[in-house]
């Protein structure tokens, strides 16, 4: 197991859910955190909750869909924060569960721009530094949706299939370097994910988790921490994790 003490970890989508849980476990392991998201106040609250000092955390108010903002955020990092060791490409969302032929263009564009383009921009601006320093690890958050398409999942599933393929491609392109690439692909995790998917319809969102014990964001963060702390010669390429109550994207055991 390798130590995360003083390693610089950039987490996108750190204002909620899995990203926030990652901030907690990586801070607990002694890492220095760069936390990125659009909701600045949430990030500030997280820093307070975790009781982090300015030498332990650096915040970025960032929309990952904005390529020039990503470039500027990465290239203008203070020197003490510029040597990123671990990039956790977590920012992402689903919008809607409509049939493809009835889908909303704006929903599609938001998912594609965030889940694919945002992940690519971060990767493109951060990984060259890793290659120059001969150290680094990219962890992409995919989904079982990238392995199994489900009705109404269409474009979201496509974006997560893209994450799977991009992770495989990056691993191949980094062969010959010590940089590691991992895709962590969860099933049902109870976060704000479903509220976002259903545009704030809490009742519909809550139904997703009814009668089920879903994964928590902490469960996923724990797996990400495991991947990041293996011996340097070990690359965990892909992890699929689901709740015990789930056996596939549409196979869920509900008690009520
Ligand atoms: P949450 O909605 O709780 O968190 C999503 C995070 O992504 C928020 O911090 C949000 O921050 C950030 N985000 C969204 N859009 C942008 C953007 N344009 N720029 C920067 N940050 C953005 O959901 P989860 O924690 O569940 O989702 C995290 C990842 O896990 C996503 O990639 C999701 O697809 C994936 N996933 C989730 C599963 C689940 O069942 N929950 C299962 C499998 C995968 P802000 O709004 O402040 O910008
Ligand atoms: C989130 C899991 O099954 O809702 O990626 O698509 S699922």
């Amino acid at each position: 197991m390798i130590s995360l003490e003083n390693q610089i970890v950039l987490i996108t989508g750190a204002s909620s859910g899995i990203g926030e849980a990652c901030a907690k476990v990586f801070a607990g392991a002694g890492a220095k955190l760069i936390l990125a998201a659009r909701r600045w106040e949430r990030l500030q609250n997280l820093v307070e909750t975790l009781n982090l000092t300015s030498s332990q955390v650096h915040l970025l108010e960032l929309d990952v869909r904005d390529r020039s903002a990503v470039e500027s955020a990465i290239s203008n990092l203070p020197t003490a924060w510029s040597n990123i060791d671990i990039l956790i490409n977590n920012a992402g969302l689903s919008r809607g569960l409509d049939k493809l032929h009835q889908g909303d263009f704006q929903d599609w564009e938001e998912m594609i721009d965030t889940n694919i383009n945002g992940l690519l921009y971060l990767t493109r601006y951060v990984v060259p530094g890793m290659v120059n320093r001969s150290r680094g690890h990219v962890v992409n958050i995919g989904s079982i949706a990238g392995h199994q398409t489900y009705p109404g999942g269409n474009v979201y599933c496509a974006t997560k299939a893209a994450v799977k393929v991009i992770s495989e491609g990056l691993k191949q392109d980094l062969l010959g370097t010590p940089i590691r690439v991992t895709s962590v692909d969860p099933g049902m995790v109870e976060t704000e994910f479903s509220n976002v998917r259903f545009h704030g319809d809490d009742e519909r969102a809550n139904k997703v988790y009814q009668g089920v014990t879903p994964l928590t964001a902490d469960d996923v963060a724990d797996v990400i921490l495991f991947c990041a702390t293996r011996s340097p010669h070990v690359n965990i390429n892909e992890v699929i994790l689901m709740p015990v109550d789930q056996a596939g994207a549409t196979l869920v055991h509900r008690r009520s």
Side-chain angles (χ1 to χ4, degrees):
M1 173 163 161
I2 64 166
S3 166
L4 292 173
E5 198 68 41
N6 289 324
Q7 289 213 32
I8 298 179
V9 183
L10 168 51
I11 305 169
T12 66
S15 60
S16 171
I18 296 168
E20 185 179 338
C22 285
K24 201 166 57 182
V25 292
F26 279 83
K32 294 170 71 166
L33 306 178
I34 303 174
L35 305 180
R38 293 166 301 179
R39 287 173 292 177
W40 182 251
E41 218 182 296
R42 288 273 198 115
L43 294 178
Q44 285 181 313
N45 291 342
L46 180 58
V47 171
E48 265 182 45
T49 309
L50 298 179
N51 205 12
L52 299 173
T53 64
S54 57
S55 66
Q56 293 170 306
V57 69
H58 182 78
L59 300 186
L60 293 177
E61 185 174 357
L62 181 66
D63 185 333
V64 298
R65 296 172 297 178
D66 183 340
R67 176 153 65 93
S68 56
V70 174
E71 179 182 21
S72 159
I74 300 303
S75 60
N76 290 317
L77 280 171
T79 318
W81 290 97
S82 60
N83 293 345
I84 296 164
D85 295 300
I86 301 174
L87 167 63
I88 304 180
N89 272 320
N90 162 75
L93 79 179
S94 67
R95 286 293 200 190
L97 199 57
D98 300 319
K99 292 178 188 292
L100 188 70
H101 61 285
Q102 295 165 339
D104 182 290
F105 292 104
Q106 210 179 319
D107 284 351
W108 294 354
E109 281 159 13
E110 197 175 353
M111 291 187 279
I112 292 166
D113 289 346
T114 310
N115 302 356
I116 305 178
N117 291 336
L119 178 143
L120 284 171
Y121 300 153
L122 263 299
T123 304
R124 180 65 182 86
Y125 289 122
V126 171
V127 172
M130 291 180 171
V131 173
N132 287 339
R133 293 185 294 278
S134 285
R135 58 182 280 143
H137 191 166
V138 179
V139 180
N140 291 332
I141 309 305
S143 169
I144 59 165
H147 299 259
Q148 305 170 0
T149 312
Y150 52 86
N154 47 69
V155 175
Y156 177 70
C157 295
T159 65
K160 290 301 181 177
V163 172
K164 179 180 187 297
V165 172
I166 289 165
S167 301
E168 287 168 7
L170 184 64
K171 176 78 180 83
Q172 292 168 6
D173 292 342
L174 288 170
L175 186 64
T177 79
I179 321 297
R180 307 196 282 186
V181 182
T182 300
S183 182
V184 174
D185 302 350
M188 191 182 268
V189 191
E190 190 165 8
T191 61
E192 292 174 17
F193 178 84
S194 293
N195 305 69
V196 172
R197 165 167 258 173
F198 300 126
H199 295 277
D201 182 343
D202 289 341
E203 204 182 322
R204 193 171 175 198
N206 291 338
K207 279 200 183 125
V208 173
Y209 310 108
Q210 230 165 43
V212 177
T213 306
L215 296 174
T216 64
D218 289 339
D219 295 328
V220 182
D222 186 40
V223 168
I224 296 168
L225 186 81
F226 177 84
C227 296
T229 50
R230 295 310 88 203
S231 296
H233 69 285
V234 177
N235 191 95
I236 299 185
N237 295 36
E238 185 177 274
V239 180
I240 299 177
L241 66 154
M242 291 181 203
V244 171
D245 285 341
Q246 184 172 30
T250 55
L251 262 179
V252 176
H253 175 69
R254 295 185 196 275
R255 283 174 194 79
S256 54

